[in-house]
Amino acid sequence: MSTSSELGIVAMGMAFGERRDVSATAADYVPDPEAVTALGYETYHRAAPGVTAVDLAAEAAREALENADVTVADVDLVVVGNSDVPDYLGWDPSAAVARALGAHGTPTVLFTQACAAWSPALDHAAGAMALSPGVETVLVVLANVMSEAHGNRMDFNGCVASDGAVAAVVRRGHPRLRRLSSAQFTNPDYADLFRIEYGGAAAPLPPPGRGLKDVSPMASVYRHFDRDPKRFEAFMDEITARLADVVEEALSRAGRDRSEVARLIHINDSRQTFRAVADAVGIPLARTNAELARSLGHMGTADQLVCLWRHIEAGELVLGDLVVLTGVASPGMHWFCTVVEV
């Protein structure tokens, strides 16, 4: 039995909410629709009433298993990342996904680091293979369904939130889509940025006369910097600078160079952010997933693998191409990079 912890992605599957037009629906969410359309998004996905993150996760997982020509009985571990408010408190979505798939007895683990959960999820799969020789096939499932009871999908963190899931069947020693390395950085000074004030154990209910989403996360960000434009600008500069740092570190760990990178796949952010990220990392905007982001919206932790698979399906990535998957998780605050060779 192989003891290598090197893994590759065998196949993926995806599931999305209903496609919606940004310009046609922005007025339903914000008083200034032009501010949203200026972000550059054209469409996004919204889950139908009653459709949960677990529902989309299970749908994506079934497609991934079918595409990989394996059954759930072949899976040694299920790793789930959920990037928004869970369906219930005191409840584990990873176990719920396993139940939906019929994976009885298969170990599961859950990651909740918001839109950065994809990277530690892949790291955990690699770590499980390194520690347990019997772990050969892992199902990584990443899902995002925006809770509109807790937040506004068009006025939360400068993105248009979108509902979707992606699943990847990863196998020890698989020669394609190999995970080479990863790197991360956390700045705990920003731990309270973007937090939702009400609904958790500290403040289960909002004060009388207020709702769960009456406190704007962006407003709390501005307050954190004392509404000082220079301090906020320095914060924005730090976001891109830290990202460039983790890209450099991840490439160094893989023994690769930035000049070898064929494509950078970032979270499905606004077009302004993509320009800043491309400049910071030193890669042309056309070699990012900026165009895909316009039609997908920000699917939380699912962004990177959805876009990776879409670029492969479109023939925009070929055997041997080096890809850096990057992300910034606002709650935390975390920076991540994972290096993949197609």
Side-chain angles (χ1 to χ4, degrees):
M1 182 178 294
S2 171
T3 58
S4 169
S5 61
E6 185 177 89
L7 62 84
I9 298 174
V10 180
M12 293 194 220
M14 296 179 285
F16 305 131
E18 299 170 352
R19 186 182 293 275
R20 299 290 182 90
D21 184 89
V22 171
S23 60
T25 59
D28 297 335
Y29 292 93
V30 294
D32 182 11
E34 291 184 0
V36 173
T37 56
L39 296 174
Y41 297 98
E42 296 174 346
T43 55
Y44 64 101
H45 296 265
R46 185 184 183 193
V51 175
T52 67
V54 167
D55 293 332
L56 291 182
E59 183 180 344
R62 293 186 190 101
E63 181 177 285
L65 292 169
E66 182 178 350
N67 290 341
D69 195 25
V70 300
T71 70
V72 72
D74 300 313
V75 174
D76 302 307
L77 172 67
V78 177
V79 183
V80 174
N82 184 39
S83 46
D84 206 81
V85 178
D87 300 338
Y88 302 98
L89 301 178
W91 181 73
D92 185 347
S94 70
V97 170
R99 179 179 59 192
L101 298 174
H104 298 289
T106 305
T108 74
V109 65
L110 175 68
F111 286 90
T112 60
Q113 283 179 294
C115 50
W118 59 274
S119 187
L122 288 173
D123 285 356
H124 185 80
M129 290 178 184
L131 293 171
S132 304
V135 176
E136 296 288 330
T137 302
V138 179
L139 179 63
V140 176
V141 192
L142 309 165
N144 184 77
V145 171
M146 174 75 183
S147 171
E148 295 191 12
H150 292 83
N152 184 327
R153 72 171 63 241
M154 294 193 185
D155 185 24
F156 187 81
N157 61 359
C159 299
V160 172
S162 190
D163 302 339
V166 62
V169 175
V170 300
R171 185 173 293 148
R172 182 195 300 269
H174 187 69
R176 295 294 306 276
L177 286 172
R178 296 186 303 128
R179 173 200 171 276
L180 301 184
S181 65
S182 67
Q184 69 177 84
F185 182 90
T186 298
N187 187 341
D189 292 340
Y190 301 140
D192 293 333
L193 295 190
F194 299 99
R195 79 181 188 189
I196 298 172
E197 290 297 320
Y198 308 122
L205 298 172
R210 304 194 73 173
L212 285 174
K213 57 182 182 182
D214 279 354
V215 176
S216 166
M218 287 302 295
S220 68
V221 172
Y222 297 137
R223 283 197 301 272
H224 178 88
F225 297 105
D226 297 324
R227 296 184 173 84
D228 184 334
K230 291 185 177 179
R231 289 184 61 193
F232 183 73
E233 183 178 352
F235 166 66
M236 298 303 292
D237 289 342
E238 180 181 355
I239 289 177
T240 51
R242 297 282 189 201
L243 192 68
D245 289 344
V246 293
V247 168
E248 202 66 42
E249 183 177 352
L251 286 170
S252 176
R253 290 178 178 179
R256 308 299 285 268
D257 185 81
R258 193 181 305 190
S259 64
E260 301 176 68
V261 175
R263 189 168 292 270
L264 180 147
I265 298 178
H266 191 53
I267 64 172
N268 292 339
D269 216 318
S270 68
R271 57 187 172 191
Q272 297 94 328
T273 299
F274 266 107
R275 291 192 189 101
V277 168
D279 288 345
V281 178
I283 192 167
L285 184 63
R287 282 167 41 201
T288 71
N289 57 310
E291 281 303 308
L292 278 177
R294 287 163 58 84
S295 62
L296 291 170
H298 177 33
M299 296 182 176
T301 187
D303 282 348
Q304 286 81 357
L305 292 192
V306 166
C307 290
L308 175 62
W309 199 243
R310 283 284 177 87
H311 282 304
I312 290 171
E313 290 179 322
E316 295 166 346
L317 288 170
V318 298
L319 183 66
D321 277 349
L322 196 69
V323 182
V324 290
L325 310 177
T326 63
V328 180
S330 301
M333 187 168 186
H334 310 285
W335 288 258
F336 285 89
C337 178
T338 294
V339 180
V340 172
E341 185 178 77
V342 176

